[in-house]
Amino acid sequence: MAALGWLTPRRRSATARSVLAGEASAEAARKSSQELEDQAPPVDEDAREPEFPVAGDDKAAAFFDLDNTVMQGAAIFHFGRGLYKRKFFERRELTRFAWQQAWFRIAGVEDPEHMQDAQNSALSIVKGHRVAELMSIGEEIYDEYLAERIWPGTRALAQAHLDAGQKVWLVTAAPVEIATVIARRLGLTGALGTVAESIGGVYTGRLVGEPLHGPAKAEAVRALASAEGLELGRCAAYSDSHNDIPMLSLVGHPYAINPDAKLRKYARERDWRLRDYRTGRKAAKVGLPAAAGVGAVAGGTAAAIALHRRRR
């Protein structure tokens, strides 16, 4: 499917679009996190014991890339499979999704053109559908295609952060609705993802800013950290892709998980910790950063919300 014309930057610079995408994603993540927190059962504070000796650090959190870091393959492609099963589009579209997924699994790296093409296809497919409908379908697709693809090793790392009292966020180019479902199922705090514009709860077929990829991920993490009162130097980030070097470079504890060749080289040059779950090989022992719970503070991304409203 040809790229849609409205995705081509015209009036805004790439940097401005990255900031807009990042801030919009951070706002959506904070809202979804609050909803998850409201639904969570009460915790017996007296029964909880500190897991880490440095419990009490309320300025740290962890940020995990999704595709090939937390799960094998790309979430957007599996989401496409689920939508095809529910007759959202024709067989020729499924062939494209399948080919892109096969390429991703063989190459083990993200191709921006492939990811953009998949994003365009997904936007075209969901246009006119209700957000609530896609969220419900996302729950089913998680059970059908995604649950068995979660890397146990990365899942354990995320759980260790949670056990230490830290908030843990997914950061992905996948739609924020899919990312939120995965975060909920894994018991994580929430998710930063690409924000598709919706009016009255119905998708318009347009994005807010651009896909949350590369520099946009870093802007999302920066915006969320500011809103949550975090100190990035005390936070950790995990990714497999050199495209996420901007995000990894933001934090004091960057980790390369199942790294592609460029990220592996970059990480080794800077003495970042590495781990590869694809072969069981440990490039370096991963030690989790000291951490404890994050207290939410006032602030946020009012500018992104205002821009979103003006776009309507």
Side-chain angles (χ1 to χ4, degrees):
M1 182 176 294
L4 302 179
W6 47 263
L7 279 176
T8 304
R10 290 187 176 88
R11 298 182 180 177
R12 293 190 182 90
S13 67
T15 299
R17 290 176 64 82
S18 296
V19 171
L20 176 58
E23 291 183 340
S25 181
E27 179 66 20
R30 297 192 74 222
K31 287 181 179 178
S32 65
S33 171
Q34 185 60 54
E35 292 175 358
L36 293 177
E37 185 175 323
D38 293 341
Q39 297 171 5
V43 177
D44 184 354
E45 295 292 338
D46 294 332
R48 180 190 299 169
E49 295 182 0
E51 298 290 334
F52 279 39
V54 291
D57 184 356
D58 63 354
K59 301 297 182 182
F63 302 93
F64 283 78
D65 169 56
L66 176 59
D67 297 342
N68 216 33
T69 301
V70 171
M71 63 168 284
Q72 302 175 49
I76 187 65
F77 301 143
H78 296 299
F79 187 64
R81 293 174 62 194
L83 293 182
Y84 170 77
K85 179 180 178 180
R86 291 159 178 81
K87 303 185 184 303
F88 271 65
F89 56 91
E90 302 298 323
R91 181 177 295 275
R92 61 187 177 88
E93 304 284 343
L94 178 64
T95 302
R96 173 173 295 152
F97 274 110
W99 177 82
Q100 291 168 329
Q101 173 64 8
W103 188 95
F104 184 88
R105 289 180 67 85
I106 293 171
V109 297
E110 298 175 2
D111 183 301
E113 291 184 5
H114 290 177
M115 300 299 289
Q116 182 71 66
D117 187 40
Q119 197 77 52
N120 293 344
S121 299
L123 284 170
S124 174
I125 291 165
V126 303
K127 181 179 179 180
H129 288 275
R130 300 196 65 82
V131 175
E133 176 189 10
L134 269 294
M135 288 291 288
S136 177
I137 292 174
E139 297 281 355
E140 298 172 3
I141 291 175
Y142 179 87
D143 291 327
E144 293 169 5
Y145 300 112
L146 304 182
E148 65 182 10
R149 290 177 167 81
I150 302 299
W151 290 109
T154 311
R155 178 69 187 87
L157 292 174
Q159 187 60 50
H161 282 285
L162 293 170
D163 290 343
Q166 293 186 357
K167 290 187 175 181
V168 178
W169 304 84
L170 292 182
V171 189
T172 174
V176 67
E177 291 82 7
I178 300 174
T180 299
V181 168
I182 296 172
R184 180 189 302 118
R185 290 301 193 90
L186 295 178
L188 308 184
T189 306
L192 296 152
T194 296
V195 178
E197 183 185 69
S198 63
I199 298 178
V202 177
Y203 289 111
T204 66
R206 297 186 293 270
L207 291 183
V208 179
E210 65 183 11
L212 201 71
H213 188 267
K217 281 189 178 182
E219 293 298 337
V221 169
R222 195 192 309 276
L224 184 62
S226 176
E228 293 278 322
L230 303 174
E231 290 184 11
L232 288 170
R234 296 156 81 166
C235 292
Y238 300 77
S239 179
D240 71 296
S241 174
H242 69 278
N243 294 311
D244 288 340
I245 287 175
M247 177 181 75
L248 294 169
S249 299
L250 273 182
V251 301
H253 303 275
Y255 295 76
I257 305 295
N258 304 328
D260 61 34
K262 290 183 180 179
L263 178 58
R264 184 181 294 276
K265 180 176 184 295
Y266 192 93
R268 282 176 169 167
E269 290 173 350
R270 287 154 183 79
D271 200 28
W272 290 357
R273 294 186 175 95
L274 298 94
R275 177 161 290 184
D276 197 325
Y277 297 117
R278 295 167 298 188
T279 62
R281 180 178 68 253
K282 297 180 181 179
K285 183 177 180 180
V286 175
L288 290 168
V294 178
V297 297
T301 54
I305 296 173
L307 284 171
H308 187 193
R309 289 173 177 167
R310 286 201 294 271
R311 284 169 64 90
R312 295 184 180 182

